[in-house]
Amino acid sequence: MEAIQTGFKSFDELTGGLEYRKVYSLFGDKESGKEQFLYKLVQSALSAKIAIVYTLTSKSYSELISEFNSRGININPYLGNSFKILDDFSRTNSPSATNNSYAKILNGPLDLTGLSVSLSTVNGDFIKDAKPVINIFDNLSNLLMYNNPVTVYRFLQFICGKAKLAGVTTLFSVDTVMHTPDVIETIKNLSDAIIDLKLDNGKRYFKISGISKEVLQFKELE
Amino acid sequence: MAEYKGLDGNEEDIDPYFGIAKLDEQLKGIPEKKIVLISASPSVGNEVFGYQIIHKNITSGVKVLVFLNRTSPQSYLTDMKDYDFPANDNLFILDAYSGITGIKSDETDHIKVINNPYDIEEVKSKVIGALGNGYGLIVIDSFSLLADFFNFPFVLSFIDEIKNAVVSHNSAAVLLFTDWGYEKENVDKLLSKVNSTIEVKGIEKRVIFGQYFAVLKCDWVKEANALSSVLFKAIKPGGIKVYFPKILVTGPTDAGKSSFIHSASKDAVSVDKLGGTIALDHGSVDFKGYRADLFGTPGQERFDPLLKMLGEEAIGVFLIVDSTKPEQFPRAVEMLRKTETYGLPVVVIANKADLKGALKGEEIRERLHLDSAITLIQTVAENLSTVDPNQPTKLKSEGINEALSALFKQLT
């Protein structure tokens, strides 16, 4: 199977894209362009007939959809078909929010069991449909804020293990400045590959380690 | 006093009950002073067990307290309602969640708040203090989250305190626990402190293709080790149903197989032509906490090559015969043989028992050479004047229910 193209020409040419069955973590500070990276990846993967489970921890599903729309990404045809959202945020503001055909409303950052059960259900549905799958976590930082880090590691270890067994690719987005170095180090240990993003002089750059085609010096992301 | 009516329709006055088929039949509810741990794999979860136990008890007049640290009371009640388990005045919640998110919920008569869920002393004193208020049952959702928040030494000593309180107030406790792969030594200690452990797991390879629960331990039932694993489905609405994946419905042409499947299930489909089933019928049955998938066979001999395939993996059989057509009885027995289900648990349904020329039950038994251990149930159609010629005739529910009870009892 070919690797997953991110939609960024320089990234795809230098690295070959994201490999199946691998766990990636995406590090960067607020302005580094993590969301831009994720949204473009979503667009590119969906058009390549890859299914996506998008877990949200700091915005609601309707905010996510309007962000796609405002960037000119037409997500609507994929909603509920190959794009499903696990919304772990909406109930913080509206506790009675319930599921629809494309968004599962979860119970918030403490209910990691609920998140794990939903992930395994939605992954199972996609796999039975013979679709390749990416699990995207936007983002891990919020889960880490509310839970004891050890609890989150146990959770990550469990779901990454399941994902590998099922042939699913996993990508966590992590806000670098929100965590202590030891937390960052542990997340890196759980990942097969690390992508770093940064903004410098109005341009965005990336590097990646842990895969066969590493890019160890920052290259422009375009 | 809670009442549980099992497949036998027996009522027994022990409370609280699980409200979950098979568990109640085998464990006879949760006696006073006992602590039950429901330990789930993280990819299956156990929250629906909690909702169902709570609902069964609050609707039976048992006052239930939920210690909730997994989500907000509003979200919890919304989810319960989604499974068709609405709250009532017997449900009380101790909210140990809102204090974490900073969005304070208002105290009501039924919702009390733990201001600082990170404060071990407040958590302890509020839970133990509340147990003196006449609750028949306390449910902790989630106990593993308490272990995550604090540590195992704390939760192990907390169990002892809960146990003392439960014993002195004649209450009972259910602890919902997700096993994230904690240290075995800690989990073993936890298991040794509870009276019963029910394990909830998935059968999985790349995907989960089945879920089961199993009683690992229960100190108030003799031969608890003999309890087997039980497949289940969590159905929304409806909750936990013990699940039989395949039950075959077979019998000669026009005996009433499609009628039986359509009368027993809500969502039956037939692949048919001019009223006769030429491929198969399928329907899902919900009955007294059980869920079964029924697969019907065609009756005509020209489809016999399909029968073996249709019978594969079936775990029980309904054999339908037309009471007015004894000449078809040898064919009925032949169909058991051709579906290779001879010897499986079987219930014989003698349909059209009210029509002119119908044989009596005893005569049918004799002609079919039925062993006395095999159950024979007579069924009749609903009012024939209202029959839609394009739909299978509906059978009266008494016979259907009797037949389902009889087979499910053999299967559990």
Side-chain angles (χ1 to χ4, degrees), chain A residues 21-27 140 144 149-161 163-164 170-172 174 182-194:
Chain A
R21 217 178 271 269
K22 285 239 155 96
V23 177
Y24 291 85
S25 47
L26 177 67
F27 287 96
L140 212 53
L144 283 160
V150 180
T151 306
V152 179
Y153 305 148
R154 251 193 223 113
F155 163 77
L156 293 178
Q157 216 157 20
F158 182 84
I159 59 159
C160 293
K164 287 194 172 206
T170 307
L171 178 64
F172 304 118
V174 186
D182 57 320
V183 170
I184 301 274
E185 207 43 50
T186 316
I187 297 170
K188 287 187 174 174
N189 282 335
L190 280 170
S191 316
D192 298 311
I194 323 284

mmCIF file of all heavy atoms in Angstrom, chain A residues 21-27 140 144 149-161 163-164 170-172 174 182-194:
data_model
loop_
_atom_site.group_PDB
_atom_site.id
_atom_site.type_symbol
_atom_site.label_atom_id
_atom_site.label_comp_id
_atom_site.label_asym_id
_atom_site.label_seq_id
_atom_site.Cartn_x
_atom_site.Cartn_y
_atom_site.Cartn_z
ATOM 1 N N ARG A 21 -0.059 2.180 9.812
ATOM 2 C CA ARG A 21 0.262 1.408 10.997
ATOM 3 C C ARG A 21 1.259 2.099 11.924
ATOM 4 O O ARG A 21 1.691 1.539 12.911
ATOM 5 C CB ARG A 21 0.857 0.054 10.548
ATOM 6 C CG ARG A 21 0.490 -1.128 11.375
ATOM 7 C CD ARG A 21 1.138 -2.361 10.753
ATOM 8 N NE ARG A 21 0.249 -2.941 9.773
ATOM 9 C CZ ARG A 21 -0.657 -3.881 10.048
ATOM 10 N NH1 ARG A 21 -0.753 -4.351 11.253
ATOM 11 N NH2 ARG A 21 -1.444 -4.354 9.121
ATOM 12 N N LYS A 22 1.670 3.352 11.567
ATOM 13 C CA LYS A 22 2.661 4.029 12.406
ATOM 14 C C LYS A 22 1.973 5.059 13.309
ATOM 15 O O LYS A 22 0.898 5.562 12.991
ATOM 16 C CB LYS A 22 3.682 4.736 11.514
ATOM 17 C CG LYS A 22 4.675 3.776 10.861
ATOM 18 C CD LYS A 22 6.101 4.125 11.264
ATOM 19 C CE LYS A 22 7.015 2.931 11.182
ATOM 20 N NZ LYS A 22 7.755 2.850 9.945
ATOM 21 N N VAL A 23 2.654 5.385 14.401
ATOM 22 C CA VAL A 23 2.160 6.423 15.304
ATOM 23 C C VAL A 23 3.045 7.662 15.141
ATOM 24 O O VAL A 23 4.259 7.595 15.342
ATOM 25 C CB VAL A 23 2.205 5.949 16.766
ATOM 26 C CG1 VAL A 23 1.754 7.060 17.705
ATOM 27 C CG2 VAL A 23 1.352 4.702 16.951
ATOM 28 N N TYR A 24 2.429 8.785 14.739
ATOM 29 C CA TYR A 24 3.159 10.036 14.560
ATOM 30 C C TYR A 24 2.736 11.016 15.638
ATOM 31 O O TYR A 24 1.558 11.090 15.978
ATOM 32 C CB TYR A 24 2.811 10.662 13.210
ATOM 33 C CG TYR A 24 3.327 9.890 12.021
ATOM 34 C CD1 TYR A 24 2.597 8.823 11.509
ATOM 35 C CD2 TYR A 24 4.536 10.229 11.407
ATOM 36 C CE1 TYR A 24 3.065 8.106 10.421
ATOM 37 C CE2 TYR A 24 5.010 9.510 10.324
ATOM 38 C CZ TYR A 24 4.268 8.451 9.833
ATOM 39 O OH TYR A 24 4.741 7.744 8.764
ATOM 40 N N SER A 25 3.690 11.781 16.157
ATOM 41 C CA SER A 25 3.249 12.926 16.940
ATOM 42 C C SER A 25 3.727 14.193 16.267
ATOM 43 O O SER A 25 4.808 14.249 15.687
ATOM 44 C CB SER A 25 3.697 12.833 18.396
ATOM 45 O OG SER A 25 5.041 12.498 18.457
ATOM 46 N N LEU A 26 2.865 15.183 16.321
ATOM 47 C CA LEU A 26 3.086 16.444 15.613
ATOM 48 C C LEU A 26 3.270 17.533 16.667
ATOM 49 O O LEU A 26 2.330 17.872 17.387
ATOM 50 C CB LEU A 26 1.848 16.734 14.747
ATOM 51 C CG LEU A 26 1.802 18.036 13.965
ATOM 52 C CD1 LEU A 26 2.864 18.038 12.866
ATOM 53 C CD2 LEU A 26 0.413 18.226 13.352
ATOM 54 N N PHE A 27 4.513 18.020 16.776
ATOM 55 C CA PHE A 27 4.813 19.025 17.801
ATOM 56 C C PHE A 27 4.953 20.407 17.178
ATOM 57 O O PHE A 27 5.387 20.545 16.040
ATOM 58 C CB PHE A 27 6.137 18.679 18.496
ATOM 59 C CG PHE A 27 6.029 17.512 19.427
ATOM 60 C CD1 PHE A 27 6.382 16.238 19.001
ATOM 61 C CD2 PHE A 27 5.581 17.677 20.725
ATOM 62 C CE1 PHE A 27 6.296 15.153 19.855
ATOM 63 C CE2 PHE A 27 5.488 16.597 21.587
ATOM 64 C CZ PHE A 27 5.847 15.333 21.150
ATOM 65 N N LEU A 140 -3.750 16.427 21.822
ATOM 66 C CA LEU A 140 -3.457 15.651 23.016
ATOM 67 C C LEU A 140 -3.317 16.546 24.256
ATOM 68 O O LEU A 140 -3.512 16.099 25.382
ATOM 69 C CB LEU A 140 -2.135 14.922 22.776
ATOM 70 C CG LEU A 140 -1.963 13.571 23.428
ATOM 71 C CD1 LEU A 140 -3.115 12.669 23.078
ATOM 72 C CD2 LEU A 140 -0.655 12.957 22.951
ATOM 73 N N LEU A 144 -4.036 15.876 28.399
ATOM 74 C CA LEU A 144 -2.944 15.901 29.378
ATOM 75 C C LEU A 144 -3.183 16.928 30.473
ATOM 76 O O LEU A 144 -2.715 16.785 31.596
ATOM 77 C CB LEU A 144 -1.625 16.191 28.670
ATOM 78 C CG LEU A 144 -1.022 14.995 27.925
ATOM 79 C CD1 LEU A 144 -0.029 15.444 26.882
ATOM 80 C CD2 LEU A 144 -0.378 14.021 28.908
ATOM 81 N N PRO A 149 -0.591 12.528 33.943
ATOM 82 C CA PRO A 149 0.127 12.068 32.741
ATOM 83 C C PRO A 149 0.225 10.550 32.628
ATOM 84 O O PRO A 149 0.064 9.990 31.541
ATOM 85 C CB PRO A 149 1.526 12.676 32.909
ATOM 86 C CG PRO A 149 1.341 13.842 33.796
ATOM 87 C CD PRO A 149 0.168 13.537 34.674
ATOM 88 N N VAL A 150 0.409 9.870 33.772
ATOM 89 C CA VAL A 150 0.524 8.401 33.737
ATOM 90 C C VAL A 150 -0.749 7.775 33.158
ATOM 91 O O VAL A 150 -0.709 6.816 32.387
ATOM 92 C CB VAL A 150 0.790 7.846 35.155
ATOM 93 C CG1 VAL A 150 0.900 6.339 35.133
ATOM 94 C CG2 VAL A 150 2.031 8.481 35.743
ATOM 95 N N THR A 151 -1.910 8.359 33.540
ATOM 96 C CA THR A 151 -3.187 7.876 33.016
ATOM 97 C C THR A 151 -3.240 8.034 31.505
ATOM 98 O O THR A 151 -3.673 7.138 30.780
ATOM 99 C CB THR A 151 -4.338 8.683 33.655
ATOM 100 O OG1 THR A 151 -4.207 8.603 35.066
ATOM 101 C CG2 THR A 151 -5.680 8.172 33.234
ATOM 102 N N VAL A 152 -2.779 9.189 31.022
ATOM 103 C CA VAL A 152 -2.811 9.442 29.577
ATOM 104 C C VAL A 152 -1.854 8.493 28.847
ATOM 105 O O VAL A 152 -2.189 7.969 27.785
ATOM 106 C CB VAL A 152 -2.483 10.919 29.261
ATOM 107 C CG1 VAL A 152 -2.482 11.170 27.762
ATOM 108 C CG2 VAL A 152 -3.495 11.831 29.935
ATOM 109 N N TYR A 153 -0.677 8.235 29.428
ATOM 110 C CA TYR A 153 0.248 7.303 28.768
ATOM 111 C C TYR A 153 -0.364 5.922 28.644
ATOM 112 O O TYR A 153 -0.252 5.264 27.616
ATOM 113 C CB TYR A 153 1.576 7.161 29.530
ATOM 114 C CG TYR A 153 2.282 8.459 29.773
ATOM 115 C CD1 TYR A 153 3.057 8.659 30.900
ATOM 116 C CD2 TYR A 153 2.157 9.508 28.858
ATOM 117 C CE1 TYR A 153 3.685 9.868 31.137
ATOM 118 C CE2 TYR A 153 2.787 10.720 29.091
ATOM 119 C CZ TYR A 153 3.540 10.894 30.232
ATOM 120 O OH TYR A 153 4.148 12.087 30.465
ATOM 121 N N ARG A 154 -1.018 5.477 29.715
ATOM 122 C CA ARG A 154 -1.654 4.164 29.682
ATOM 123 C C ARG A 154 -2.700 4.108 28.571
ATOM 124 O O ARG A 154 -2.788 3.149 27.818
ATOM 125 C CB ARG A 154 -2.346 3.900 31.022
ATOM 126 C CG ARG A 154 -1.637 2.866 31.833
ATOM 127 C CD ARG A 154 -2.530 2.423 32.975
ATOM 128 N NE ARG A 154 -1.729 2.323 34.159
ATOM 129 C CZ ARG A 154 -1.839 3.102 35.224
ATOM 130 N NH1 ARG A 154 -2.765 4.025 35.277
ATOM 131 N NH2 ARG A 154 -1.043 2.951 36.247
ATOM 132 N N PHE A 155 -3.470 5.192 28.508
ATOM 133 C CA PHE A 155 -4.498 5.303 27.472
ATOM 134 C C PHE A 155 -3.860 5.256 26.081
ATOM 135 O O PHE A 155 -4.280 4.496 25.205
ATOM 136 C CB PHE A 155 -5.283 6.604 27.689
ATOM 137 C CG PHE A 155 -6.093 7.051 26.511
ATOM 138 C CD1 PHE A 155 -7.298 6.430 26.203
ATOM 139 C CD2 PHE A 155 -5.659 8.100 25.707
ATOM 140 C CE1 PHE A 155 -8.052 6.851 25.118
ATOM 141 C CE2 PHE A 155 -6.409 8.527 24.621
ATOM 142 C CZ PHE A 155 -7.611 7.898 24.323
ATOM 143 N N LEU A 156 -2.799 6.057 25.891
ATOM 144 C CA LEU A 156 -2.157 6.118 24.572
ATOM 145 C C LEU A 156 -1.550 4.779 24.190
ATOM 146 O O LEU A 156 -1.656 4.331 23.052
ATOM 147 C CB LEU A 156 -1.080 7.209 24.549
ATOM 148 C CG LEU A 156 -1.597 8.636 24.679
ATOM 149 C CD1 LEU A 156 -0.430 9.611 24.689
ATOM 150 C CD2 LEU A 156 -2.570 8.976 23.558
ATOM 151 N N GLN A 157 -0.933 4.154 25.165
ATOM 152 C CA GLN A 157 -0.326 2.862 24.913
ATOM 153 C C GLN A 157 -1.399 1.866 24.440
ATOM 154 O O GLN A 157 -1.191 1.123 23.485
ATOM 155 C CB GLN A 157 0.289 2.347 26.206
ATOM 156 C CG GLN A 157 1.548 1.598 25.979
ATOM 157 C CD GLN A 157 2.395 1.599 27.247
ATOM 158 O OE1 GLN A 157 1.883 1.832 28.343
ATOM 159 N NE2 GLN A 157 3.672 1.339 27.092
ATOM 160 N N PHE A 158 -2.532 1.919 25.106
ATOM 161 C CA PHE A 158 -3.612 0.996 24.752
ATOM 162 C C PHE A 158 -4.117 1.269 23.339
ATOM 163 O O PHE A 158 -4.176 0.369 22.504
ATOM 164 C CB PHE A 158 -4.756 1.113 25.764
ATOM 165 C CG PHE A 158 -5.880 0.166 25.481
ATOM 166 C CD1 PHE A 158 -5.822 -1.143 25.943
ATOM 167 C CD2 PHE A 158 -6.980 0.557 24.731
ATOM 168 C CE1 PHE A 158 -6.836 -2.042 25.669
ATOM 169 C CE2 PHE A 158 -7.998 -0.336 24.443
ATOM 170 C CZ PHE A 158 -7.931 -1.632 24.920
ATOM 171 N N ILE A 159 -4.462 2.532 23.059
ATOM 172 C CA ILE A 159 -5.081 2.793 21.752
ATOM 173 C C ILE A 159 -4.065 2.677 20.608
ATOM 174 O O ILE A 159 -4.420 2.265 19.513
ATOM 175 C CB ILE A 159 -5.829 4.148 21.701
ATOM 176 C CG1 ILE A 159 -4.881 5.294 22.008
ATOM 177 C CG2 ILE A 159 -7.025 4.172 22.605
ATOM 178 C CD1 ILE A 159 -5.410 6.593 21.489
ATOM 179 N N CYS A 160 -2.789 3.006 20.859
ATOM 180 C CA CYS A 160 -1.783 2.859 19.797
ATOM 181 C C CYS A 160 -1.565 1.383 19.488
ATOM 182 O O CYS A 160 -1.412 0.993 18.327
ATOM 183 C CB CYS A 160 -0.457 3.494 20.183
ATOM 184 S SG CYS A 160 -0.561 5.270 20.311
ATOM 185 N N GLY A 161 -1.568 0.562 20.527
ATOM 186 C CA GLY A 161 -1.425 -0.881 20.336
ATOM 187 C C GLY A 161 -2.555 -1.428 19.482
ATOM 188 O O GLY A 161 -2.340 -2.170 18.519
ATOM 189 N N ALA A 163 -4.439 0.278 17.428
ATOM 190 C CA ALA A 163 -4.376 0.852 16.088
ATOM 191 C C ALA A 163 -3.384 0.080 15.226
ATOM 192 O O ALA A 163 -3.666 -0.250 14.075
ATOM 193 C CB ALA A 163 -3.988 2.335 16.169
ATOM 194 N N LYS A 164 -2.248 -0.257 15.786
ATOM 195 C CA LYS A 164 -1.237 -1.000 15.030
ATOM 196 C C LYS A 164 -1.771 -2.356 14.616
ATOM 197 O O LYS A 164 -1.594 -2.800 13.482
ATOM 198 C CB LYS A 164 0.025 -1.189 15.871
ATOM 199 C CG LYS A 164 0.777 0.098 15.988
ATOM 200 C CD LYS A 164 2.175 -0.119 16.508
ATOM 201 C CE LYS A 164 2.886 1.208 16.385
ATOM 202 N NZ LYS A 164 4.303 1.085 16.273
ATOM 203 N N THR A 170 -1.874 6.574 13.260
ATOM 204 C CA THR A 170 -2.294 7.488 14.329
ATOM 205 C C THR A 170 -1.447 8.757 14.275
ATOM 206 O O THR A 170 -0.243 8.690 14.030
ATOM 207 C CB THR A 170 -2.094 6.815 15.707
ATOM 208 O OG1 THR A 170 -2.741 5.550 15.695
ATOM 209 C CG2 THR A 170 -2.660 7.659 16.824
ATOM 210 N N LEU A 171 -2.089 9.892 14.492
ATOM 211 C CA LEU A 171 -1.361 11.167 14.528
ATOM 212 C C LEU A 171 -1.881 12.009 15.697
ATOM 213 O O LEU A 171 -3.065 12.313 15.774
ATOM 214 C CB LEU A 171 -1.570 11.916 13.201
ATOM 215 C CG LEU A 171 -0.917 13.286 13.067
ATOM 216 C CD1 LEU A 171 0.598 13.183 13.113
ATOM 217 C CD2 LEU A 171 -1.332 13.941 11.754
ATOM 218 N N PHE A 172 -0.968 12.332 16.619
ATOM 219 C CA PHE A 172 -1.337 13.208 17.744
ATOM 220 C C PHE A 172 -0.778 14.592 17.503
ATOM 221 O O PHE A 172 0.390 14.723 17.172
ATOM 222 C CB PHE A 172 -0.675 12.759 19.051
ATOM 223 C CG PHE A 172 -0.942 11.356 19.434
ATOM 224 C CD1 PHE A 172 0.097 10.457 19.541
ATOM 225 C CD2 PHE A 172 -2.224 10.947 19.709
ATOM 226 C CE1 PHE A 172 -0.136 9.153 19.930
ATOM 227 C CE2 PHE A 172 -2.463 9.634 20.095
ATOM 228 C CZ PHE A 172 -1.421 8.739 20.206
ATOM 229 N N VAL A 174 0.346 17.942 19.397
ATOM 230 C CA VAL A 174 0.716 18.342 20.761
ATOM 231 C C VAL A 174 1.255 19.773 20.745
ATOM 232 O O VAL A 174 2.106 20.111 19.925
ATOM 233 C CB VAL A 174 1.819 17.416 21.333
ATOM 234 C CG1 VAL A 174 2.083 17.740 22.801
ATOM 235 C CG2 VAL A 174 1.460 15.956 21.167
ATOM 236 N N ASP A 182 9.584 16.408 30.484
ATOM 237 C CA ASP A 182 9.452 14.963 30.674
ATOM 238 C C ASP A 182 8.175 14.412 30.044
ATOM 239 O O ASP A 182 8.147 13.291 29.532
ATOM 240 C CB ASP A 182 9.545 14.585 32.168
ATOM 241 C CG ASP A 182 8.505 15.314 32.998
ATOM 242 O OD1 ASP A 182 8.274 16.516 32.729
ATOM 243 O OD2 ASP A 182 7.913 14.700 33.907
ATOM 244 N N VAL A 183 7.107 15.231 30.033
ATOM 245 C CA VAL A 183 5.872 14.800 29.364
ATOM 246 C C VAL A 183 6.126 14.682 27.851
ATOM 247 O O VAL A 183 5.765 13.687 27.212
ATOM 248 C CB VAL A 183 4.720 15.794 29.659
ATOM 249 C CG1 VAL A 183 3.513 15.496 28.785
ATOM 250 C CG2 VAL A 183 4.335 15.716 31.131
ATOM 251 N N ILE A 184 6.773 15.696 27.294
ATOM 252 C CA ILE A 184 7.096 15.687 25.851
ATOM 253 C C ILE A 184 7.934 14.453 25.517
ATOM 254 O O ILE A 184 7.672 13.760 24.531
ATOM 255 C CB ILE A 184 7.903 16.968 25.473
ATOM 256 C CG1 ILE A 184 7.092 18.218 25.815
ATOM 257 C CG2 ILE A 184 8.357 16.924 24.019
ATOM 258 C CD1 ILE A 184 6.141 18.696 24.783
ATOM 259 N N GLU A 185 8.908 14.174 26.386
ATOM 260 C CA GLU A 185 9.812 13.055 26.145
ATOM 261 C C GLU A 185 9.023 11.725 26.119
ATOM 262 O O GLU A 185 9.258 10.871 25.257
ATOM 263 C CB GLU A 185 10.875 13.027 27.265
ATOM 264 C CG GLU A 185 12.193 12.418 26.893
ATOM 265 C CD GLU A 185 12.679 12.866 25.506
ATOM 266 O OE1 GLU A 185 12.698 14.099 25.213
ATOM 267 O OE2 GLU A 185 13.011 11.983 24.725
ATOM 268 N N THR A 186 8.081 11.580 27.038
ATOM 269 C CA THR A 186 7.313 10.326 27.087
ATOM 270 C C THR A 186 6.436 10.168 25.851
ATOM 271 O O THR A 186 6.307 9.073 25.307
ATOM 272 C CB THR A 186 6.433 10.282 28.352
ATOM 273 O OG1 THR A 186 7.210 10.732 29.443
ATOM 274 C CG2 THR A 186 5.940 8.892 28.618
ATOM 275 N N ILE A 187 5.830 11.264 25.408
ATOM 276 C CA ILE A 187 5.003 11.172 24.195
ATOM 277 C C ILE A 187 5.882 10.770 23.015
ATOM 278 O O ILE A 187 5.495 9.947 22.177
ATOM 279 C CB ILE A 187 4.288 12.502 23.902
ATOM 280 C CG1 ILE A 187 3.332 12.826 25.046
ATOM 281 C CG2 ILE A 187 3.523 12.425 22.592
ATOM 282 C CD1 ILE A 187 2.772 14.210 24.974
ATOM 283 N N LYS A 188 7.094 11.334 22.968
ATOM 284 C CA LYS A 188 8.017 10.970 21.884
ATOM 285 C C LYS A 188 8.339 9.487 21.937
ATOM 286 O O LYS A 188 8.423 8.822 20.913
ATOM 287 C CB LYS A 188 9.296 11.805 21.968
ATOM 288 C CG LYS A 188 9.073 13.249 21.537
ATOM 289 C CD LYS A 188 10.374 14.037 21.461
ATOM 290 C CE LYS A 188 10.093 15.422 20.887
ATOM 291 N NZ LYS A 188 11.276 16.288 20.926
ATOM 292 N N ASN A 189 8.493 8.971 23.154
ATOM 293 C CA ASN A 189 8.800 7.550 23.297
ATOM 294 C C ASN A 189 7.673 6.650 22.817
ATOM 295 O O ASN A 189 7.910 5.544 22.353
ATOM 296 C CB ASN A 189 9.107 7.210 24.760
ATOM 297 C CG ASN A 189 10.508 7.633 25.124
ATOM 298 O OD1 ASN A 189 11.374 7.740 24.242
ATOM 299 N ND2 ASN A 189 10.742 7.908 26.392
ATOM 300 N N LEU A 190 6.444 7.141 22.959
ATOM 301 C CA LEU A 190 5.292 6.346 22.525
ATOM 302 C C LEU A 190 5.112 6.374 21.006
ATOM 303 O O LEU A 190 4.402 5.559 20.438
ATOM 304 C CB LEU A 190 4.012 6.899 23.157
ATOM 305 C CG LEU A 190 3.713 6.524 24.593
ATOM 306 C CD1 LEU A 190 2.542 7.355 25.102
ATOM 307 C CD2 LEU A 190 3.383 5.046 24.701
ATOM 308 N N SER A 191 5.757 7.346 20.351
ATOM 309 C CA SER A 191 5.536 7.541 18.915
ATOM 310 C C SER A 191 6.617 6.840 18.108
ATOM 311 O O SER A 191 7.741 6.688 18.554
ATOM 312 C CB SER A 191 5.572 9.030 18.568
ATOM 313 O OG SER A 191 4.854 9.770 19.515
ATOM 314 N N ASP A 192 6.244 6.413 16.885
ATOM 315 C CA ASP A 192 7.252 5.876 15.969
ATOM 316 C C ASP A 192 8.027 7.009 15.326
ATOM 317 O O ASP A 192 9.211 6.886 15.050
ATOM 318 C CB ASP A 192 6.570 5.064 14.861
ATOM 319 C CG ASP A 192 5.827 3.871 15.416
ATOM 320 O OD1 ASP A 192 6.428 3.131 16.210
ATOM 321 O OD2 ASP A 192 4.637 3.691 15.079
ATOM 322 N N ALA A 193 7.330 8.102 15.039
ATOM 323 C CA ALA A 193 7.962 9.201 14.332
ATOM 324 C C ALA A 193 7.513 10.536 14.910
ATOM 325 O O ALA A 193 6.387 10.671 15.393
ATOM 326 C CB ALA A 193 7.609 9.141 12.849
ATOM 327 N N ILE A 194 8.415 11.502 14.873
ATOM 328 C CA ILE A 194 8.136 12.830 15.431
ATOM 329 C C ILE A 194 8.200 13.858 14.303
ATOM 330 O O ILE A 194 9.205 13.928 13.593
ATOM 331 C CB ILE A 194 9.226 13.257 16.445
ATOM 332 C CG1 ILE A 194 9.712 12.085 17.281
ATOM 333 C CG2 ILE A 194 8.802 14.464 17.246
ATOM 334 C CD1 ILE A 194 8.803 11.652 18.338
#
